[in-house]
Amino acid sequence: GPVQLWAYRCKLYIYRQKSNGWVDLGTGKGSLCRSGTSSGVEFIFEDEKNKIPMARHSVETATALKPNAGSDKTWVWRAQDYVQEAEGNEASWFLLKFQTVDAAAKFKSIFDTLKPPEEEEEVKPPAHSDPAEPEMTSSTLQHLRSGGSSTEAFLLYFEKGVCQKGAAVRQASTIYVGAYDSKEQAVSNAPRAMDHNCDPGRSWRDKQLWTVREDYRGSVGDKGVILSIQDGTGVYYQTKLRKVP
């Protein structure tokens, strides 16, 4: 069987060009494992909330680790991943974030022994930006299906942003909340997602603070907004549902 060389709780991001930023793949266990059938070592990341492998790729064919924006708690590298579908035929950029400097240093020391630094073409990692909406790719869904009894899932997202009058583009960032076996479960968790992610100083439940308040818990289909609020300046918060596949 596979031999685990390193494992630690961390947070993983993937860079998406169409989102123009780092997409949050979740918090969970990152590990470096040597396969029992070969000498190859893989980086594997499993989301702790849904127990789904969100990334898996060979360390040997990945680029060397690079610091992200001068942070000593994060490392960035590029690899061809088996779970996350790349944009085009290009390898994907990954960013791994740790809670402590020591944990980040330990990861690099082990990674470097498995993949000695080499002379390679300097490929600069993308600049840091806010995480945007994560995507459930077809291969991720295969893991989701194989791990659960249901063949479908309902994904819950939280979105916050500013809707500017007259502007075609709204500024928004989206957080992936979780995957649920039924629509009822996802919808029932929408208020909790609003409680947890809205500005703590301005309760979404306070009617006087918001000029627009919409509640679609009883009528939302397989995709759409569940709860939405907006104030007079265009600041809004909302939870959204999406059924997959």
Side-chain angles (χ1 to χ4, degrees):
V3 179
Q4 189 169 276
L5 306 174
W6 167 90
Y8 206 83
R9 188 172 186 263
C10 45
K11 196 170 180 70
L12 185 69
Y13 298 85
I14 187 171
Y15 189 82
R16 291 295 190 199
Q17 283 183 324
K18 67 181 181 183
S19 301
N20 193 29
W22 292 104
V23 172
D24 186 352
L25 294 179
T27 300
K29 184 176 86 168
S31 60
L32 294 168
C33 295
R34 192 184 300 280
S35 169
T37 56
S38 71
S39 60
V41 176
E42 290 182 333
F43 171 80
I44 303 169
F45 179 83
E46 184 179 88
D47 173 39
E48 66 187 16
K49 187 181 289 183
N50 304 304
K51 306 299 182 192
I52 304 169
M54 297 299 284
R56 183 170 71 88
H57 52 256
S58 165
V59 170
E60 282 86 345
T61 56
T63 64
L65 297 182
K66 295 178 172 65
N68 176 58
S71 169
D72 48 10
K73 293 181 185 177
T74 58
W75 295 107
V76 178
W77 71 96
R78 199 177 191 188
Q80 289 277 3
D81 197 79
Y82 306 130
V83 178
Q84 295 291 331
E85 291 171 2
E87 295 177 312
N89 295 319
E90 300 225 342
S92 301
W93 281 103
F94 291 92
L95 184 153
L96 197 62
K97 186 176 183 180
F98 295 91
Q99 286 191 315
T100 67
V101 175
D102 287 347
K106 176 80 170 172
F107 171 69
K108 186 177 192 304
S109 68
I110 296 173
F111 191 99
D112 285 353
T113 61
L114 300 170
K115 179 186 174 52
E118 58 200 37
E119 290 298 319
E120 59 178 76
E121 184 184 347
E122 182 65 22
V123 185
K124 292 205 171 174
H128 181 73
S129 59
D130 290 331
E133 180 165 344
E135 300 156 70
M136 276 283 184
T137 65
S138 58
S139 43
T140 305
L141 287 171
Q142 286 167 8
H143 289 291
L144 185 66
R145 291 193 197 109
S146 62
S149 56
S150 175
T151 58
E152 61 187 30
F154 291 86
L155 309 185
L156 182 64
Y157 299 98
F158 172 83
E159 181 179 291
K160 63 180 177 180
V162 182
C163 229
Q164 294 168 326
K165 280 187 179 178
V169 180
R170 63 182 185 184
Q171 298 174 322
S173 63
T174 308
I175 299 166
Y176 169 58
V177 177
Y180 302 89
D181 289 336
S182 71
K183 185 166 84 171
E184 290 71 26
Q185 280 182 309
V187 170
S188 67
N189 276 282
R192 194 179 305 164
M194 295 285 280
D195 287 334
H196 185 70
N197 294 291
C198 286
D199 181 350
R202 306 170 70 208
S203 171
W204 69 276
R205 299 171 188 268
D206 189 341
K207 296 179 181 180
Q208 295 179 332
L209 294 176
W210 311 100
T211 53
V212 179
R213 297 175 80 252
E214 296 169 330
D215 186 342
Y216 301 110
R217 280 178 285 183
S219 60
V220 67
D222 288 341
K223 181 181 180 181
V225 172
I226 304 172
L227 294 168
S228 180
I229 53 170
Q230 184 174 322
D231 69 11
T233 67
V235 171
Y236 72 90
Y237 301 99
Q238 61 185 21
T239 46
K240 297 192 294 183
L241 177 77
R242 181 156 66 94
K243 179 185 174 185
V244 291

